[in-house]
Amino acid sequence: MAKILIVEDEPSMRLGLKDNLEFESYSVELAIDGAEGLTKIEASTFDLIILDVMMPKMSGFEVCKAIRKKGVTTPIIFLTAKSEEIDKVLGLELGADDYLTKPFSLRELIARVKAILRRTQHETVAKDEGTATIGRLTVDFDHYVASNNEGDVRMSYKEFEILQFLLNNQNEVVSRYDLLNKVWGYDSQPTTRTVDNFILRLRQRIEENPNDPKHILTVHGVGYKLVK
């Protein structure tokens, strides 16, 4: 049974999400603000965090930034009333895996929860991928750890998934839409710009000179190609 933490300051929203996710047979814990959410995340292990952005004490962005800094890679879905693209991009760049703008349908939220958990549950993703070295980065896909010659490198789960997909299609051109469909699991959100932002972050970890990449190459007008 997957364990989900909901961090949401609106009581009706918080309880409504809890009831619906428990109906889907998930184990659900609640936090009423960002500070309580951070405390619970530090004290326990969750399979998924549903995190409101605008909250008292600590915003969702602040919580996300704090836990990613500590190396917590638990998938995060942001909930927010904001609809501007810059807010979505900021949330995803901080390390979130998905983003829903209020109001949203519970059906869509549950579909996204299921899609993320399908990819992250150990019984469905624990494949014998072994260890790969790409440029400056050595990645253990079995245990989701990465390092370079300076030590451990913190990466979000989404970064591991993108890199694994590129590696599985090594020397082949992968379109941005391929990445959206295969990694995120649907093609309506996020945008291709989000893919580009994640690729930029991976290049910063892999390439000697991210401005002149030798391993994750851009195929203009199409997408990307990984060359070891």
Side-chain angles (χ1 to χ4, degrees):
M1 181 184 295
K3 186 177 178 183
I4 299 174
L5 175 65
I6 299 171
V7 188
E8 167 65 65
D9 64 316
E10 296 180 23
S12 59
M13 174 71 73
R14 186 169 63 244
L15 295 176
L17 292 175
K18 180 177 186 293
D19 289 345
N20 279 273
L21 289 169
E22 286 181 339
F23 183 78
E24 297 289 334
S25 300
Y26 298 119
S27 172
V28 179
E29 286 195 26
L30 301 176
I32 64 172
D33 56 45
E36 183 182 8
L38 181 59
T39 298
K40 290 197 171 189
I41 294 165
E42 292 174 339
S44 187
T45 300
F46 298 94
D47 297 294
L48 176 67
I49 300 165
I50 297 176
L51 185 59
D52 190 29
V53 171
M54 302 301 291
M55 292 185 293
K57 297 185 180 179
M58 288 185 75
S59 73
F61 287 160
E62 291 172 321
V63 174
C64 180
K65 186 175 181 180
I67 66 173
R68 292 299 188 240
K69 188 175 182 180
K70 292 176 181 291
V72 177
T73 60
T74 305
I76 292 173
I77 298 177
F78 271 136
L79 305 179
T80 183
K82 293 186 175 182
S83 60
E84 291 83 0
E85 183 181 19
I86 187 63
D87 296 310
K88 297 179 183 181
V89 171
L90 174 59
L92 293 165
E93 288 184 343
L94 286 172
D97 296 80
D98 208 341
Y99 201 113
L100 272 173
T101 303
K102 300 176 184 177
F104 53 84
S105 72
L106 286 168
R107 197 174 188 181
E108 181 179 9
L109 173 66
I110 290 170
R112 295 190 184 196
V113 166
K114 289 180 177 179
I116 289 175
L117 290 174
R118 276 197 301 269
R119 297 194 298 269
T120 57
Q121 289 297 302
H122 293 299
E123 64 268 23
T124 57
V125 300
K127 301 174 183 177
D128 186 20
E129 299 292 348
T131 301
T133 298
I134 307 164
R136 299 186 303 122
L137 191 70
T138 298
V139 184
D140 181 347
F141 290 105
D142 290 335
H143 302 99
Y144 299 100
V145 294
S147 62
N148 59 23
N149 57 10
E150 297 176 355
D152 292 339
V153 175
R154 286 193 295 269
M155 289 173 52
S156 70
Y157 186 85
K158 192 65 65 184
E159 289 175 280
F160 280 106
E161 283 219 306
I162 292 169
L163 189 56
Q164 189 173 67
F165 184 73
L166 290 172
L167 188 61
N168 289 343
N169 294 276
Q170 185 180 164
N171 299 318
E172 298 179 9
V173 178
V174 174
S175 76
R176 293 171 175 83
Y177 294 101
D178 287 336
L179 285 164
L180 284 172
N181 289 327
K182 299 298 184 180
V183 176
W184 275 267
Y186 50 90
D187 58 10
S188 58
Q189 291 233 7
T191 66
T192 53
R193 179 177 172 184
T194 300
V195 174
D196 295 339
N197 288 331
F198 272 93
I199 292 294
L200 176 61
R201 286 161 57 182
L202 284 171
R203 281 175 171 162
Q204 290 169 343
R205 305 183 194 289
I206 289 170
E207 306 285 353
E208 291 290 342
N209 180 3
N211 294 320
D212 184 23
K214 306 297 183 185
H215 300 285
I216 301 180
L217 307 179
T218 298
V219 180
H220 293 288
V222 182
Y224 298 99
K225 179 169 68 174
L226 185 140
V227 178
K228 288 184 68 177

